[in-house]
Amino acid sequence: MSNDKRPPQTHEIEIDAPPEAVWKAISTGEGLTRWYAEEARVEPRTGGENWISWGEGQEVGNQNLTWEPGKRLTVGKPGHETATGWGAIVVDFEIETRGGKTLLKLVQSGLPGGPDWDSMDEGTDVGWEMFLFALKFYLEHHAGKPRRTIMRYWASPQPAGETFAALRGLLGIAADDLRAGARYTATTAGGEKIGGEIVAVEPGQQLVGGVAELGDALVSITVHATGKGAYVNFIVGTFGLPEPPYAEAKARWSRLLSQAG
């Protein structure tokens, strides 16, 4: 197996929150469940465990390779320098202050080269963008509130562009509203009225937007090409919803997502 590595991915986001709040969100199990994973454990030291899960079969166990509270966190596996597969991947978070706000820089490195890893490269690239918007939304709109999700991950047999267009149609959002900062009103394929602000869009790949009717929830969708079609991540993050409204929303949105194939 080749030891060639791809160039690092770099992502940055400015967050209207203090650096200590950003640090807590990226470096604690509780914080990570507010924007990233369903479950998480972080041992607060260099060499400590860093474990995250999105459900059974979707777990990642790493260590804190660098631990500088409030400044820098590097997550990966010891020996990543000479690893050739999953064990080679390292994610580095760096925190800076800028004009009263916090700048978070994320660099993913070590992803293997070669065509077998092309889909993973595209998927993590758009995926990190989505998760960072989710982090910003959590800290700026719902800091301190627990998150509960309605989610589905699946493989679509259709190309990425067609899959993305079908998902937009499922939500009922007009094409003219697909721009960051736009306000939208829509009726989903399930007949539910929704509205809010579009947070981010990459046509054919990503849609992130608020949903006022779910207590200012966040809908995050990514689509990336695979050799056989496309792969979809669809996450609705709700914050502070009482149990009955959350259960009802989960039932409705699960039915809606079942129409996606």
Side-chain angles (χ1 to χ4, degrees):
M1 182 181 292
S2 171
N3 196 36
D4 291 342
K5 307 288 178 65
R6 295 173 187 266
Q9 295 178 14
T10 300
H11 307 272
E12 292 186 355
I13 195 160
E14 189 175 78
I15 303 171
D16 190 6
E20 55 268 25
V22 177
W23 173 255
K24 182 178 181 180
I26 67 172
S27 68
T28 67
E30 178 185 86
L32 288 165
T33 62
R34 306 289 169 84
W35 63 278
Y36 186 40
E38 295 300 288
E39 297 180 75
R41 295 191 302 268
V42 181
E43 187 179 0
R45 63 177 180 86
T46 301
E49 178 189 34
N50 194 302
W51 176 89
I52 57 175
S53 173
W54 292 275
E56 186 176 352
Q58 299 187 79
E59 303 173 352
V60 180
N62 283 304
Q63 289 186 12
N64 303 320
L65 303 178
T66 302
W67 182 269
E68 299 178 15
K71 296 180 180 179
R72 188 178 179 197
L73 172 63
T74 308
V75 179
K77 294 186 182 299
H80 63 87
E81 299 91 345
T82 56
T84 55
W86 292 100
I89 301 172
V90 173
V91 179
D92 183 80
F93 299 89
E94 188 171 352
I95 293 173
E96 300 177 11
T97 56
R98 176 185 292 177
K101 297 185 179 181
T102 301
L103 179 70
L104 179 64
K105 180 179 179 180
L106 183 153
V107 178
Q108 176 182 278
S109 60
L111 195 68
D116 290 346
W117 291 85
D118 285 350
S119 178
M120 179 59 63
D121 186 33
E122 181 180 343
T124 56
D125 191 34
V126 70
W128 277 124
E129 289 289 321
M130 175 194 74
F131 283 123
L132 290 180
F133 283 119
L135 171 59
K136 177 181 174 73
F137 187 86
Y138 158 64
L139 287 174
E140 293 185 354
H141 292 250
H142 298 290
K145 293 181 182 178
R147 181 186 72 149
R148 289 194 290 185
T149 60
I150 306 159
M151 64 170 60
R152 185 182 172 203
Y153 305 141
W154 73 93
S156 166
Q158 303 302 320
E162 292 181 19
T163 299
F164 183 86
L167 290 170
R168 180 185 62 75
L170 195 70
L171 292 176
I173 299 176
D176 288 346
D177 288 335
L178 289 183
R179 61 188 189 280
R183 302 292 303 182
Y184 77 91
T185 56
T187 302
T188 72
E192 184 169 355
K193 303 288 186 180
I194 59 173
E197 181 178 340
I198 302 296
V199 174
V201 178
E202 291 183 29
Q205 289 189 307
Q206 177 179 252
L207 172 60
V208 182
V211 182
E213 290 77 7
L214 295 179
D216 194 24
L218 187 70
V219 173
S220 303
I221 303 169
T222 63
V223 180
H224 72 270
T226 66
K228 299 179 180 180
Y231 194 78
V232 181
N233 295 299
F234 194 120
I235 305 171
V236 182
T238 72
F239 298 89
L241 275 185
E243 178 58 35
Y246 168 74
E248 292 170 4
K250 185 174 183 178
R252 293 196 309 272
W253 282 73
S254 294
R255 288 194 297 271
L256 180 69
L257 292 178
S258 70
Q259 299 180 41

